[in-house]
Amino acid sequence: MIRSFILVAASLVLHLAAPTRLWVGNSLPLSDTQHSALLWCLKWALTLWATTDINSILNRWAENKWLWKTDASGWVWGQEIAVVTGGSRGIGACVVKQLVSYGIHCAVLDVIPLSETFTDDERRLVRYYKCDITSPTAIHSAAEAIRSDLGSPSILINNAGIGNGSTILDIPFENVQRLFQINILSQFSTVKEFLPDMLAKKKGHIMSVASLASFVSLAGAVDYSCTKSGLLSFHEGLGQELKYRHKCPQIKTTIVHPNWTKSAITAHPAVEAGLKRIGAKLLEAEDVAGAMVKQIIAAKSGQLILGPGISPKIRALPLWLQELVRDSQAYVVNGSGTTG
């Protein structure tokens, strides 16, 4: 923003002090008409630049729940405890490994044991709890065990998620039900378990992993798209409740929207062939995890768009343009099956 004001001021000085004919270098004189055109372009370009900067600042202010300053001094990473659902493999495991590198203790909730990629040193800061997160009772039991073993967590990363690859008519209802239980309903249970302690301490960070499917629904993955757009509503509503029901904007909330990432979902035959057809470049799980952990360490709220920056703006486009975007993705998910 400061650089925009400097440039605007410079343009005003130029406008007031410039001679009738402006020389560029030693050999390119500008006529009065060209000079006026240059000033007009400069004025509007700088105005647009300043407006963009101001908009970015307002966006960051809003994301931070109208708090001007982000104070990370209250976080002592060697004393913090993070809960990561689906943290045994994939993006979740990468997140755990990177959190541990800061000395953060991690409690992993998963139905499968920790992968062999964890070193002995990392495992000293990681505690695995076998937990089926489709069950609120199982989540409560795991939360009680975490509080007893480690203490009250200050970080909750709702990472667990699965995908199905079937049309609305073909998918068994039990598959839809399980996907909703894992991808979104479990987050109601985890937040119910861990938010009260965060409120008592006025410190915490709750992160949800969504997808660019939050903004574009995919044929053959309607249930998945529904849960990811639902997570965006969950994130927005949670932020509102923290500000106006609990009077605790200090608790950070983040939602992550990765583009297609190397994972069990993208490796599934129902998806892999479609991604190759459109020439999609997959993100690495480590890079997605890196952005997530960076947000945690910065103690900032917000939305992380790990893909085309225009993605959240798609819903603001004319309907015919929205439909063209959806059409371009119509055969990415083309098959049947589930990753969970």
Side-chain angles (χ1 to χ4, degrees):
M1 184 175 178
I2 293 174
R3 68 173 181 268
S4 295
F5 283 131
I6 292 173
L7 288 170
V8 170
S11 69
L12 289 174
V13 171
L14 177 64
H15 180 65
L16 294 172
T20 303
R21 296 174 63 81
L22 179 67
W23 287 74
V24 179
N26 297 318
S27 60
L28 295 176
L30 298 178
S31 67
D32 291 344
T33 301
Q34 291 169 331
H35 179 221
S36 298
L38 174 61
L39 288 176
W40 185 90
C41 291
L42 183 61
K43 177 180 71 174
W44 287 108
L46 291 173
T47 299
L48 179 60
W49 191 351
T51 301
T52 302
D53 270 9
I54 292 169
N55 183 64
S56 297
I57 289 171
L58 291 174
N59 283 340
R60 290 195 295 271
W61 187 27
E63 285 182 334
N64 206 39
K65 300 181 179 64
W66 307 120
L67 298 175
W68 274 117
K69 294 183 179 180
T70 296
D71 185 7
S73 63
W75 294 85
V76 181
W77 302 118
Q79 299 175 13
E80 307 298 340
I81 301 163
V83 174
V84 184
T85 66
S88 289
R89 61 181 176 181
I91 294 173
C94 293
V95 168
V96 172
K97 290 168 76 70
Q98 293 189 34
L99 289 173
V100 164
S101 71
Y102 287 91
I104 299 171
H105 291 74
C106 292
V108 172
L109 304 187
D110 210 323
V111 292
I112 62 171
L114 296 176
S115 73
E116 298 301 319
T117 62
F118 287 95
T119 66
D120 290 341
D121 285 341
E122 290 170 338
R123 287 172 183 265
R124 292 189 182 95
L125 292 178
V126 179
R127 187 74 65 94
Y128 167 70
Y129 298 85
K130 186 173 183 178
C131 178
D132 178 2
I133 62 171
T134 66
S135 166
T137 301
I139 290 174
H140 176 71
S141 296
E144 290 284 88
I146 292 169
R147 285 187 282 266
S148 174
D149 297 340
L150 302 174
S152 298
S154 52
I155 302 165
L156 170 61
I157 301 177
N158 286 305
N159 161 79
I162 64 170
N164 293 320
S166 297
T167 65
I168 295 170
L169 292 181
D170 292 335
I171 189 169
F173 180 75
E174 55 269 24
N175 288 16
V176 176
Q177 194 171 37
R178 184 164 184 271
L179 182 140
F180 269 79
Q181 288 171 335
I182 292 174
N183 289 12
I184 188 167
L185 294 181
S186 66
Q187 302 203 21
F188 282 86
S189 296
T190 56
V191 169
K192 279 178 175 290
E193 285 295 337
F194 300 112
L195 178 58
D197 286 329
M198 296 180 190
L199 290 171
K201 297 175 181 177
K202 293 189 179 297
K203 185 183 81 170
H205 200 141
I206 298 173
M207 178 177 283
S208 297
V209 179
S211 163
L212 293 189
S214 303
F215 313 111
V216 179
S217 298
L218 301 173
V222 174
D223 52 349
Y224 179 84
S225 300
C226 285
T227 59
K228 297 307 181 181
S229 60
L231 282 180
L232 180 54
S233 294
F234 183 87
H235 163 77
E236 293 171 347
L238 175 60
Q240 288 290 303
E241 291 189 359
L242 287 171
K243 285 191 293 186
Y244 299 112
R245 296 297 186 271
H246 303 298
K247 311 298 183 185
C248 196
Q250 298 91 340
I251 294 177
K252 310 304 178 185
T253 55
T254 297
I255 186 165
V256 188
H257 301 282
N259 203 347
W260 295 106
T261 304
K262 292 180 182 178
S263 65
I265 291 177
T266 55
H268 195 281
V271 177
E272 188 176 26
L275 291 174
K276 288 181 179 179
R277 187 183 302 113
I278 66 171
K281 185 177 180 180
L282 303 185
L283 297 174
E284 297 290 341
E286 291 83 0
D287 294 335
V288 174
M292 293 166 62
V293 173
K294 181 180 179 182
Q295 182 82 350
I296 295 289
I297 298 303
K300 295 194 300 186
S301 293
Q303 287 197 60
L304 299 183
I305 308 298
L306 306 181
I310 194 175
S311 300
K313 304 174 181 66
I314 288 174
R315 292 291 185 182
L317 296 176
L319 288 175
W320 64 273
L321 280 175
Q322 292 186 40
E323 194 65 7
L324 285 176
V325 173
R326 287 187 284 268
D327 289 347
S328 71
Q329 307 293 306
Y331 289 100
V332 172
V333 181
N334 191 28
S336 61
T338 180
T339 61

